[in-house]
Amino acid sequence: MWRVILQPLLLFVTPFVLYALYLLARRRFPFVAELWTRSVVSTLTIAGLAAAVAGFIALGVLTTRNQGAYVPAHIEDGRLAPGRFQ
């Protein structure tokens, strides 16, 4: 469950972290409010949303799919048989 929440969140936060690292590389303190103008924040928000959506699309396209029907775990001959795809 945490993976579903953290992966898009990390993709969304990435542009903000990169901008803060850019400010540090230019020897500016990234916690100064004047450096985070409305246009910068809106651009970073759009970039973060685009990265999160691209991550969702990549996850949907590149995830391996299991073919067949799922047989849940059950008891066979007194032993637990694990769940599997047939």
PDB file of all heavy atoms in Angstrom, residues 31-43:
ATOM      1  N   PHE A  31      15.690  28.307   1.046  1.00  0.00           N
ATOM      2  CA  PHE A  31      14.519  28.574   1.880  1.00  0.00           C
ATOM      3  C   PHE A  31      14.149  30.057   1.923  1.00  0.00           C
ATOM      4  O   PHE A  31      13.374  30.477   2.770  1.00  0.00           O
ATOM      5  CB  PHE A  31      14.746  28.044   3.294  1.00  0.00           C
ATOM      6  CG  PHE A  31      14.915  26.549   3.323  1.00  0.00           C
ATOM      7  CD1 PHE A  31      16.125  25.988   3.669  1.00  0.00           C
ATOM      8  CD2 PHE A  31      13.861  25.723   2.978  1.00  0.00           C
ATOM      9  CE1 PHE A  31      16.283  24.617   3.685  1.00  0.00           C
ATOM     10  CE2 PHE A  31      14.006  24.350   2.987  1.00  0.00           C
ATOM     11  CZ  PHE A  31      15.223  23.796   3.344  1.00  0.00           C
ATOM     12  N   VAL A  32      14.650  30.830   0.987  1.00  0.00           N
ATOM     13  CA  VAL A  32      14.294  32.245   0.872  1.00  0.00           C
ATOM     14  C   VAL A  32      13.032  32.340   0.017  1.00  0.00           C
ATOM     15  O   VAL A  32      12.983  31.821  -1.105  1.00  0.00           O
ATOM     16  CB  VAL A  32      15.450  33.048   0.234  1.00  0.00           C
ATOM     17  CG1 VAL A  32      15.046  34.497   0.019  1.00  0.00           C
ATOM     18  CG2 VAL A  32      16.685  32.954   1.105  1.00  0.00           C
ATOM     19  N   ALA A  33      12.020  32.989   0.522  1.00  0.00           N
ATOM     20  CA  ALA A  33      10.715  33.027  -0.149  1.00  0.00           C
ATOM     21  C   ALA A  33      10.765  33.743  -1.494  1.00  0.00           C
ATOM     22  O   ALA A  33       9.992  33.410  -2.397  1.00  0.00           O
ATOM     23  CB  ALA A  33       9.687  33.696   0.754  1.00  0.00           C
ATOM     24  N   GLU A  34      11.654  34.711  -1.669  1.00  0.00           N
ATOM     25  CA  GLU A  34      11.710  35.458  -2.926  1.00  0.00           C
ATOM     26  C   GLU A  34      12.142  34.579  -4.101  1.00  0.00           C
ATOM     27  O   GLU A  34      11.865  34.899  -5.260  1.00  0.00           O
ATOM     28  CB  GLU A  34      12.659  36.658  -2.810  1.00  0.00           C
ATOM     29  CG  GLU A  34      12.152  37.775  -1.932  1.00  0.00           C
ATOM     30  CD  GLU A  34      12.403  37.503  -0.452  1.00  0.00           C
ATOM     31  OE1 GLU A  34      13.357  36.779  -0.120  1.00  0.00           O
ATOM     32  OE2 GLU A  34      11.614  38.004   0.363  1.00  0.00           O
ATOM     33  N   LEU A  35      12.847  33.503  -3.830  1.00  0.00           N
ATOM     34  CA  LEU A  35      13.301  32.615  -4.900  1.00  0.00           C
ATOM     35  C   LEU A  35      12.198  31.673  -5.381  1.00  0.00           C
ATOM     36  O   LEU A  35      12.302  31.087  -6.449  1.00  0.00           O
ATOM     37  CB  LEU A  35      14.503  31.790  -4.423  1.00  0.00           C
ATOM     38  CG  LEU A  35      15.748  32.592  -4.042  1.00  0.00           C
ATOM     39  CD1 LEU A  35      16.819  31.681  -3.471  1.00  0.00           C
ATOM     40  CD2 LEU A  35      16.276  33.346  -5.244  1.00  0.00           C
ATOM     41  N   TRP A  36      11.147  31.534  -4.597  1.00  0.00           N
ATOM     42  CA  TRP A  36      10.046  30.638  -4.931  1.00  0.00           C
ATOM     43  C   TRP A  36       8.832  31.466  -5.351  1.00  0.00           C
ATOM     44  O   TRP A  36       7.806  31.503  -4.683  1.00  0.00           O
ATOM     45  CB  TRP A  36       9.700  29.747  -3.733  1.00  0.00           C
ATOM     46  CG  TRP A  36      10.816  28.830  -3.366  1.00  0.00           C
ATOM     47  CD1 TRP A  36      11.861  29.122  -2.569  1.00  0.00           C
ATOM     48  CD2 TRP A  36      10.998  27.491  -3.808  1.00  0.00           C
ATOM     49  NE1 TRP A  36      12.688  28.033  -2.467  1.00  0.00           N
ATOM     50  CE2 TRP A  36      12.188  27.016  -3.210  1.00  0.00           C
ATOM     51  CE3 TRP A  36      10.278  26.631  -4.626  1.00  0.00           C
ATOM     52  CZ2 TRP A  36      12.666  25.732  -3.439  1.00  0.00           C
ATOM     53  CZ3 TRP A  36      10.752  25.351  -4.840  1.00  0.00           C
ATOM     54  CH2 TRP A  36      11.938  24.920  -4.252  1.00  0.00           C
ATOM     55  N   THR A  37       8.928  32.118  -6.493  1.00  0.00           N
ATOM     56  CA  THR A  37       7.836  32.952  -6.978  1.00  0.00           C
ATOM     57  C   THR A  37       6.668  32.080  -7.437  1.00  0.00           C
ATOM     58  O   THR A  37       6.800  30.863  -7.585  1.00  0.00           O
ATOM     59  CB  THR A  37       8.307  33.833  -8.148  1.00  0.00           C
ATOM     60  OG1 THR A  37       8.731  32.972  -9.212  1.00  0.00           O
ATOM     61  CG2 THR A  37       9.446  34.745  -7.723  1.00  0.00           C
ATOM     62  N   ARG A  38       5.557  32.716  -7.673  1.00  0.00           N
ATOM     63  CA  ARG A  38       4.354  31.975  -8.088  1.00  0.00           C
ATOM     64  C   ARG A  38       4.585  31.248  -9.414  1.00  0.00           C
ATOM     65  O   ARG A  38       4.142  30.111  -9.599  1.00  0.00           O
ATOM     66  CB  ARG A  38       3.183  32.930  -8.202  1.00  0.00           C
ATOM     67  CG  ARG A  38       1.930  32.260  -8.730  1.00  0.00           C
ATOM     68  CD  ARG A  38       0.773  33.164  -8.651  1.00  0.00           C
ATOM     69  NE  ARG A  38       0.156  32.902  -7.340  1.00  0.00           N
ATOM     70  CZ  ARG A  38      -0.991  33.392  -6.975  1.00  0.00           C
ATOM     71  NH1 ARG A  38      -1.631  34.209  -7.772  1.00  0.00           N
ATOM     72  NH2 ARG A  38      -1.502  33.097  -5.808  1.00  0.00           N
ATOM     73  N   SER A  39       5.293  31.875 -10.348  1.00  0.00           N
ATOM     74  CA  SER A  39       5.529  31.228 -11.643  1.00  0.00           C
ATOM     75  C   SER A  39       6.455  30.019 -11.498  1.00  0.00           C
ATOM     76  O   SER A  39       6.264  29.004 -12.175  1.00  0.00           O
ATOM     77  CB  SER A  39       6.102  32.229 -12.646  1.00  0.00           C
ATOM     78  OG  SER A  39       7.373  32.681 -12.206  1.00  0.00           O
ATOM     79  N   VAL A  40       7.446  30.119 -10.622  1.00  0.00           N
ATOM     80  CA  VAL A  40       8.356  28.990 -10.394  1.00  0.00           C
ATOM     81  C   VAL A  40       7.601  27.827  -9.758  1.00  0.00           C
ATOM     82  O   VAL A  40       7.722  26.672 -10.188  1.00  0.00           O
ATOM     83  CB  VAL A  40       9.558  29.415  -9.516  1.00  0.00           C
ATOM     84  CG1 VAL A  40      10.359  28.210  -9.059  1.00  0.00           C
ATOM     85  CG2 VAL A  40      10.442  30.389 -10.257  1.00  0.00           C
ATOM     86  N   VAL A  41       6.804  28.110  -8.753  1.00  0.00           N
ATOM     87  CA  VAL A  41       6.048  27.056  -8.063  1.00  0.00           C
ATOM     88  C   VAL A  41       5.038  26.413  -9.003  1.00  0.00           C
ATOM     89  O   VAL A  41       4.885  25.181  -9.010  1.00  0.00           O
ATOM     90  CB  VAL A  41       5.369  27.615  -6.795  1.00  0.00           C
ATOM     91  CG1 VAL A  41       4.429  26.598  -6.188  1.00  0.00           C
ATOM     92  CG2 VAL A  41       6.419  28.031  -5.786  1.00  0.00           C
ATOM     93  N   SER A  42       4.348  27.208  -9.823  1.00  0.00           N
ATOM     94  CA  SER A  42       3.369  26.622 -10.742  1.00  0.00           C
ATOM     95  C   SER A  42       4.055  25.778 -11.811  1.00  0.00           C
ATOM     96  O   SER A  42       3.550  24.712 -12.176  1.00  0.00           O
ATOM     97  CB  SER A  42       2.512  27.710 -11.381  1.00  0.00           C
ATOM     98  OG  SER A  42       3.309  28.574 -12.159  1.00  0.00           O
ATOM     99  N   THR A  43       5.214  26.224 -12.289  1.00  0.00           N
ATOM    100  CA  THR A  43       5.967  25.431 -13.259  1.00  0.00           C
ATOM    101  C   THR A  43       6.437  24.123 -12.649  1.00  0.00           C
ATOM    102  O   THR A  43       6.335  23.056 -13.269  1.00  0.00           O
ATOM    103  CB  THR A  43       7.177  26.233 -13.782  1.00  0.00           C
ATOM    104  OG1 THR A  43       6.716  27.451 -14.352  1.00  0.00           O
ATOM    105  CG2 THR A  43       7.956  25.440 -14.806  1.00  0.00           C
TER     106      THR A  43
END
